[in-house]
Amino acid sequence: MKILPVFFSALFFHSCLASASAELPLIPRPSTVETHEGQLTIGARIVVRVDPSDPAALRVAHALSDMLARLGGPSLTVGEGSPAQGRAAMEQTVIVISRRADAPVTQSEGYTLDVTAKAARIIARDESGLYYGAVSLAQLVSANATDKTFHVPAVHIADWPRFAWRGLMIDSARHMQSVAEIEGILEQMALHKLNVLHWHLTDDQGWRIEIKRYPELTHTGAWRTPPDAGKDGEPARYGGYYSQDDIRHVVAYAAARHITVVPELDMPGHAQAAVAAYPQFGVTGQRPAVSADWGVNPYLYNVDEPTLHFLEGVLDEVMALFPSRYIHLGGDEAIKDQWEASPAVQQRMRALGLQHPEQLQSWLMGRLGHYLDNHGRRLIGWDEILEGGVPGDAAVMSWRGIKGIEQATRAGHDVVVAPDPFLYLDYVQSTRNDETAGRLPMQSLQSVYAFEIVPPELADTQVRRILGAQANVWTEHMPTAAHLQHAIFPRLDALAENVWTPADKRNWQSFLARLPAQLARYRQQGIGYADSAYAVDIGVDRRQALASSKATVTLSNQIGSGVIHYTLDGPPPDTHSPVYTKPFTATLPVTIRAATLTTSGSLLANTRERVLDEAHLRSLEGNELTACPSEHIDEMRAQPTPDATSLTPTYTINVFDSCRLTPPLPLDGAAVVNIDLARLPRNVALAHDAKLITSRATATKHGELELRADRCDGPALSVTNLPDPTSSPARFTLTAALPPMHGTHSLCLVMTGSPQAPYYGVGRLQWQPAAASLKKPRP
């Protein structure tokens, strides 16, 4: 989503202070802050001074210069030694960066930042502390500018992180990012004081890391053939990989920003791409295709010695590329069907004295963990590695809710908190019609901020086992950098504050006061953040409006923050437009445009528009429909094709049931319903959950669309045949006749078909009287 560019101004800073006294525009919020009278004014000339014998301080000085350049700040001159004496010194604003063993903040990665009317000084015991002090100073400088002059309030900050592990996981296996895009993510991580990039490099859908000893891993395993390849914009082949030079570059780029890259190679499951490349290391000996299906696929690694030597050979090259203490070996969602069906694997289990396949996975992880340990590394894996037992020195990444945190810490394992859904950024962040692809239910900006990393019931000894936390970005529905940016930002700000700021200093209202300055930084850097939290919802009572030609309009946004301005049949709103304070009445037809601004007039969310006329009031967007009542609901916003590069359209589907239900609609006199549908590939592998898919018998070869009133198990109002998928376009419109309707009713849309039938997404639904000649609402 593109946001209009706005240059930094003093207004951002002052608007923050207006809403929260003494709040500095810093995210994450520092541990301690003391504000003082006065400010440091920075003009065209600014010098950074460092001790000439301290290369760490010199590196941070250059890093500060780079940060300010990206954030639109002043140019710096980096010098060594004390400020020059005499007249020249009076013309120079000085920043001093100093690493000292007696620095006041003793915590690792901590720093002090002191700003007076004459100078700014950063002091820390280690280079990371100096770096994070530079990040805070860069945020303060960039948030308050007039023309080419910058102003920093006089302040004393003593700051250190709450957790040592402050991470972000990027999945490059499902959809791959360019090296430049990974660099952009690392830049933003650094500016948020995050320090671990967990890089998911292998999965069923692609092997993304070059292993020279085993070239087929990338020659074959890096490429998949999507469903409907070559049709409707879907590529004939999707894939790619990172060369070892690419990876060395990324690791060095991250290290310069005090970020450790932790690689993940998934095993024993999520191995289909590897088995496609080297079937002899799979269980069946058969060569599958690289998977084009998201979800849980059945392919596992074998457990014989040749396969173990293969995996150890892969790890040799991985360890040579990644200096990180931790190596992530996955361990999640490994359904054991192939192991259980294999006589050779069963014989191996008996030889090892194992009773069930979870113990075999534990044995495999223990063997590889021991191999890593012998090379000075440490195994980390998803919380399934706890099943069947795991080596005591293994760290656990808890993802299945929060239960794994208690289980792992009680067993004496270090834990990284990364739970689904709370810190999974592949979930949508609003339920708006214009929200892009992702999983449901919504995980909003506020819910990420409110998540408590440390469960309150843990004993102190267990709390000390929590290394930190990270957000995970699974990319099944994020083919492009635009998708990724929309999903990550600004929820990354909420995560950053959660993992850095002391728990008792976190405050939602304070965060909202500081967020506008951060959004301005995103705009200055061209980051396409999601404005979902501030986007205006334009609500009306359809039935009242259709009956009276007058609409009572309510305007709101998700977080109840900012100032909403609106226009009626006018241009996009600005500060001169009316301010929304309470519901108002508008006469139809009318076009309402609304946007959220700061008190100073800077844009927080792009203008949203709603046309109110008879045709639009008798129309409903498909994403406003919900899943029909069912015991099994797993919803997502899917794109028209698996690798679609545009952010819209999206279609909400329940992977277990194609039935969709509208909210109550005013159907007085409605005689026909026009329904825009999209045929979507059923490319979600559900493993053992496939038996939960609802199957409905068809009367015709390709199935039917049945309309029912109010109840999804009631009689059909109408039945319309679905077209032949081989000869009809992927997007089409069906017209269904209705019996005479009176009053308000929900409509239930039921698709018949087998569990192998395509998904059908609803784009738009319009109902109208038989005699009416309504114009179809424009897209």
Side-chain angles (χ1 to χ4, degrees):
M1 181 173 298
K2 293 183 179 179
I3 306 296
L4 297 177
V6 178
F7 186 72
F8 294 108
S9 73
L11 297 175
F12 282 107
F13 180 63
H14 293 311
S15 67
C16 291
L17 295 185
S19 54
S21 177
E23 285 289 358
L24 298 177
L26 295 173
I27 294 179
R29 193 183 196 188
S31 304
T32 64
V33 176
E34 298 173 7
T35 56
H36 303 290
E37 292 291 329
Q39 63 181 10
L40 174 65
T41 300
I42 299 174
R45 300 187 66 190
I46 180 168
V47 175
V48 183
R49 295 290 177 186
V50 299
D51 185 333
S53 65
D54 189 352
L58 185 61
R59 285 192 294 268
V60 171
H62 287 292
L64 175 61
S65 178
D66 292 341
M67 289 180 213
L68 286 174
R70 288 193 301 276
L71 295 174
S75 298
L76 304 184
T77 299
V78 178
E80 299 179 3
S82 301
Q85 300 299 312
R87 183 179 180 86
M90 301 298 293
E91 297 175 353
Q92 295 175 340
T93 300
V94 174
I95 297 171
V96 179
I97 297 176
S98 178
R99 185 169 55 139
R100 291 180 4 203
D102 63 345
V105 172
T106 61
Q107 291 89 341
S108 177
E109 302 180 283
Y111 66 92
T112 57
L113 169 61
D114 287 283
V115 180
T116 68
K118 295 182 178 180
R121 181 182 294 272
I122 301 168
I123 300 174
R125 297 190 177 210
D126 55 39
E127 184 174 348
S128 292
L130 292 181
Y131 188 86
Y132 295 131
V135 169
S136 291
L137 181 58
Q139 287 189 9
L140 290 175
V141 171
S142 64
N144 190 16
T146 54
D147 296 325
K148 295 183 179 180
T149 302
F150 299 81
H151 311 281
V152 184
V155 66
H156 168 73
I157 295 174
D159 196 17
W160 57 90
R162 181 185 180 194
F163 293 108
W165 186 299
R166 306 181 301 279
L168 182 69
M169 189 283 295
I170 298 296
D171 169 19
S172 295
R174 275 53 176 263
H175 283 107
M176 184 179 171
Q177 304 78 40
S178 69
V179 169
E181 288 163 358
I182 294 293
E183 289 176 355
I185 291 169
L186 290 166
E187 293 283 3
Q188 292 306 315
M189 288 178 64
L191 292 172
H192 288 78
K193 302 188 174 90
L194 301 180
N195 65 349
V196 178
L197 174 67
H198 171 182
W199 202 2
H200 187 81
L201 289 166
T202 74
D203 216 297
D204 298 306
Q205 298 80 19
W207 184 283
R208 305 283 176 233
I209 173 173
E210 179 187 23
I211 303 296
K212 293 186 182 294
R213 194 181 309 182
Y214 300 107
E216 283 301 313
L217 287 171
T218 47
H219 183 265
T220 297
W223 304 92
R224 65 174 181 258
T225 302
D228 297 328
K231 299 179 182 178
D232 298 314
E234 183 69 13
R237 191 169 78 137
Y238 181 90
Y241 63 92
Y242 302 101
S243 71
Q244 294 198 356
D245 284 343
D246 289 336
I247 289 172
R248 291 187 189 95
H249 172 83
V250 168
V251 168
Y253 195 90
R257 288 149 184 81
H258 297 266
I259 296 170
T260 299
V261 183
V262 174
E264 180 185 355
L265 282 73
D266 225 332
M267 55 187 74
H270 288 287
Q272 188 165 333
V275 175
Y278 291 99
Q280 66 269 36
F281 300 132
V283 178
T284 68
Q286 302 299 308
R287 185 191 298 272
V290 177
S291 179
D293 293 339
W294 318 135
V296 181
N297 290 272
Y299 284 88
L300 304 175
Y301 286 111
N302 206 338
V303 289
D304 58 8
E305 288 303 314
T307 302
L308 287 166
H309 292 318
F310 161 75
L311 293 173
E312 290 167 353
V314 169
L315 290 177
D316 286 342
E317 296 194 29
V318 169
M319 289 186 286
L321 291 168
F322 294 93
S324 58
R325 174 77 173 89
Y326 292 94
I327 304 293
H328 202 301
L329 298 186
D332 62 312
E333 297 180 327
I335 58 172
K336 309 302 192 297
D337 297 6
Q338 291 186 347
W339 280 357
E340 291 173 340
S342 167
V345 172
Q346 293 301 306
Q347 182 179 358
R348 179 73 155 166
M349 286 178 59
R350 288 190 294 270
L352 294 169
L354 306 177
Q355 302 299 314
H356 52 81
E358 283 71 26
Q359 291 176 321
L360 181 61
Q361 175 168 327
S362 177
W363 173 84
L364 175 64
M365 287 297 181
R367 168 82 175 256
L368 295 173
H370 184 67
Y371 190 80
L372 292 175
D373 187 63
N374 286 341
H375 290 78
R377 308 304 181 90
R378 188 178 180 191
L379 163 67
I380 187 169
W382 301 109
D383 57 45
E384 284 97 330
I385 67 174
L386 292 168
E387 299 169 359
V390 70
D393 63 345
V396 175
M397 194 165 278
S398 181
W399 77 275
R400 293 179 297 177
I402 60 174
K403 63 181 180 181
I405 304 171
E406 195 281 332
Q407 182 183 359
T409 54
R410 181 163 36 84
H413 296 284
D414 291 339
V415 173
V416 174
V417 177
D420 175 11
F422 309 104
L423 297 182
Y424 270 44
L425 303 188
D426 49 314
Y427 284 81
V428 299
Q429 52 204 304
S430 82
T431 55
R432 296 181 49 81
N433 292 329
D434 56 11
E435 188 65 50
T436 189
R439 297 173 63 191
L440 289 163
M442 170 183 71
Q443 295 299 314
S444 67
L445 175 68
Q446 187 169 7
S447 69
V448 174
Y449 192 89
F451 175 72
E452 182 46 63
I453 294 169
V454 179
E457 63 272 16
L458 293 190
D460 290 344
T461 54
Q462 291 176 278
V463 172
R464 289 194 288 272
R465 286 289 186 179
I466 296 179
L467 300 175
Q470 70 180 36
N472 296 330
V473 186
W474 300 104
T475 61
E476 288 94 334
H477 307 290
M478 301 182 205
T480 69
H483 288 88
L484 212 62
Q485 290 182 3
H486 181 95
I488 294 174
F489 307 107
R491 288 186 292 187
L492 193 73
D493 297 275
L495 170 76
E497 191 141 312
N498 212 339
V499 294
W500 179 280
T501 304
D504 62 350
K505 298 293 179 67
R506 285 169 46 227
N507 180 279
W508 173 245
Q509 293 304 321
S510 163
F511 178 77
L512 291 182
R514 289 174 280 120
L515 188 57
Q518 179 60 33
L519 300 184
R521 295 183 191 107
Y522 287 146
R523 292 193 289 272
Q524 199 278 334
Q525 297 172 87
I527 301 295
Y529 67 88
D531 65 354
S532 311
Y534 290 102
V536 179
D537 292 311
I538 304 171
V540 298
D541 183 325
R542 293 173 185 271
R543 187 169 190 180
Q544 175 216 23
L546 286 168
S548 66
S549 293
K550 291 183 181 293
T552 300
V553 180
T554 59
L555 305 179
S556 62
N557 62 34
Q558 186 186 84
I559 57 177
S561 183
V563 182
I564 296 176
H565 293 261
Y566 68 94
T567 61
L568 304 180
D569 292 327
D574 56 23
T575 53
H576 303 292
S577 306
V579 174
Y580 176 79
T581 57
K582 61 182 179 180
F584 59 88
T585 300
T587 300
L588 275 56
V590 64
T591 298
I592 299 173
R593 295 181 175 90
T596 304
L597 284 69
T598 65
T599 55
S600 61
S602 298
L603 194 66
L604 291 173
N606 279 336
T607 297
R608 282 357 190 237
E609 175 183 299
R610 184 167 183 179
V611 178
L612 298 181
D613 56 23
E614 185 175 359
H616 284 82
L617 289 168
R618 292 183 182 273
S619 175
L620 190 72
E621 295 296 322
N623 289 326
E624 296 182 71
L625 278 63
T626 59
C628 299
S630 173
E631 186 179 352
H632 306 293
I633 296 176
D634 184 1
E635 289 190 291
M636 63 181 177
R637 291 256 181 112
Q639 300 172 116
T641 61
D643 307 300
T645 56
S646 61
L647 293 176
T648 58
T650 62
Y651 303 92
T652 305
I653 59 173
N654 173 11
V655 299
F656 293 116
D657 193 345
S658 61
C659 180
R660 306 300 295 171
L661 185 65
T662 74
L665 304 174
L667 297 178
D668 297 277
V672 295
V673 181
N674 296 318
I675 304 168
D676 297 341
L677 294 173
R679 189 184 303 107
L680 310 174
R682 189 179 286 269
N683 69 319
V684 180
L686 297 173
H688 295 162
D689 288 338
K691 62 181 180 293
L692 305 178
I693 298 174
T694 299
S695 178
R696 295 183 176 88
T698 62
T700 59
K701 182 177 181 181
H702 306 298
E704 299 82 36
L705 165 64
E706 299 178 355
L707 285 186
R708 301 174 185 176
D710 299 322
R711 294 171 53 116
C712 294
D713 57 357
L717 300 175
S718 68
V719 178
T720 307
N721 294 343
L722 293 169
D724 183 350
T726 63
S727 59
S728 62
R731 285 186 264 184
F732 55 93
T733 300
L734 294 183
T735 298
L738 291 176
M741 304 292 290
H742 303 284
T744 300
H745 300 275
S746 295
L747 290 178
C748 184
L749 285 64
V750 177
M751 309 290 178
T752 65
S754 72
Q756 290 74 44
Y759 293 122
Y760 285 94
V762 180
R764 180 182 282 124
L765 180 149
Q766 184 187 27
W767 61 100
Q768 61 189 53
S773 57
L774 299 176
K775 292 182 178 179
K776 188 175 181 180
R778 61 180 179 268

